[in-house]
Amino acid sequence: MIDIDIDELQVWVRECGDIALRLFNRVKAQRKADNSPVTEADVTIERVLVERLTQRYPDHGIIGEEQTKIDITKEYVWALDPIDGTASFVAGLPVWGISIGLLHRGVPCAGLFYMPLTDDCYWAFGDRAFLGRQPISVVVAADNEWNSEDWLAIPSDAHRRLDIDFIGKTRSLGSAAAAICYVARGSALGAVLTYATIWDLAGGIAILKAAGGVGVTLSGVPLDNAALLEGRVIREPLLFGAPGTVEALRCRIRARR
């Protein structure tokens, strides 16, 4: 396994968190070509992270939401989402953060997600996942053990795209990485995402895997890592949770036609 300085990465994301907090509730979003929002915070933070990573890991590639694409055919590639949850950030909502993932030959192997407003830092490198210094793990429960207080993180367009038969609650958080991390820490039973990209997923999936969880497509087909590295959007809904949970959810969630 490559030597990555997780402590240094945490210093960087906290510095970037300070940038975001200075701009929180003080910026207006512009629209990119795909109609998604972008702010000064997104652009500034991605630039800072690209500069740091290029200097520290010159042999690695980088792909970022704000159009960074450097040597993505390298063995190791960083995937950056400078503000995961930009719409929430612009709206003054609290669930957003800075996501960094490292992929080895297209597979997430390390991740970090920092939420400045709550000062929560999720991270994983190797086979253990943490919230700060506290180890975390997914909830393992058979579907006949689920109850009305269990909750599922869902996308904001779930009411238009999905039919969900779930005994518990559903919550739309506004951040893909946050949804996955809440599953990894054992708070959410599972998560559903739609229209996901590599920068949405890389950091969170590395953390989830280290916490004992998995991510699958609704149809059960494995994620297409090559497509993700090219920056393409995964349009099929994705499910995240403990292995048994995602299989049970696949029987309870249907994509609308």
Side-chain angles (χ1 to χ4, degrees):
M1 175 68 75
I2 190 172
D3 184 23
I4 297 296
D5 191 337
I6 287 288
D7 290 337
E8 183 177 51
L9 290 175
Q10 291 190 40
V11 171
W12 293 353
V13 296
R14 288 180 183 277
E15 292 174 359
C16 290
D18 289 340
I19 294 171
L21 288 173
R22 288 196 296 269
L23 294 170
F24 186 54
N25 284 327
R26 292 180 174 85
V27 293
K28 291 185 178 180
Q30 297 180 341
R31 291 287 170 178
K32 295 185 283 190
D34 64 359
N35 203 40
S36 63
V38 62
T39 70
E40 180 185 347
D42 297 87
V43 175
T44 301
I45 290 171
E46 182 159 310
R47 183 174 64 245
V48 168
L49 291 175
V50 169
E51 289 173 356
R52 301 280 179 87
L53 290 168
T54 301
Q55 292 173 2
R56 186 70 168 81
Y57 305 102
D59 296 329
H60 294 187
I62 306 174
I63 187 169
E65 182 174 15
E66 307 314 327
Q67 303 185 9
T68 299
K69 203 176 226 185
I70 302 170
D71 295 332
I72 62 169
T73 59
K74 293 282 190 178
E75 182 178 4
Y76 288 95
V77 177
W78 296 89
L80 310 177
D81 195 338
I83 299 286
D84 185 77
T86 298
S88 293
F89 179 81
V90 172
L93 300 174
V95 182
W96 50 270
I98 299 151
S99 180
I100 300 177
L102 177 63
L103 300 104
H104 180 233
R105 295 175 180 164
V107 179
C109 63
L112 190 151
F113 180 59
Y114 178 57
M115 302 173 69
L117 283 172
T118 57
D119 196 31
D120 286 336
C121 189
Y122 299 87
W123 61 277
F125 181 51
D127 59 358
R128 296 186 71 191
F130 297 84
L131 170 54
R133 297 184 180 277
Q134 182 68 35
I136 56 175
S137 61
V138 298
V139 171
V140 178
D143 54 350
N144 61 3
E145 299 174 313
W146 300 353
N147 61 62
S148 61
E149 293 305 310
D150 289 320
W151 65 278
L152 190 66
I154 61 170
S156 59
D157 64 353
H159 60 295
R160 294 193 300 269
R161 300 200 65 209
L162 303 170
D163 290 318
I164 301 174
D165 177 16
F166 179 62
I167 191 174
K169 306 175 189 297
T170 59
R171 306 184 194 276
S172 178
L173 303 179
S175 163
I180 297 173
C181 285
Y182 276 109
V183 176
R185 69 182 283 182
S187 175
L189 186 70
V192 187
L193 295 181
T194 54
Y195 292 104
T197 58
I198 190 62
W199 43 81
D200 295 322
L201 299 175
I205 286 179
I207 295 165
L208 179 70
K209 285 170 54 182
V214 296
V216 300
T217 60
L218 184 58
S219 65
V221 176
L223 295 177
D224 185 343
N225 291 318
L228 284 169
L229 266 176
E230 292 172 7
R232 280 186 263 167
V233 175
I234 302 297
R235 297 188 178 277
E236 183 178 3
L238 306 177
L239 306 178
F240 301 90
T245 298
V246 296
E247 287 307 310
L249 289 173
R250 285 185 57 224
C251 301
R252 291 165 169 77
I253 298 174
R254 293 285 182 270
R256 294 185 180 179
R257 298 186 181 276

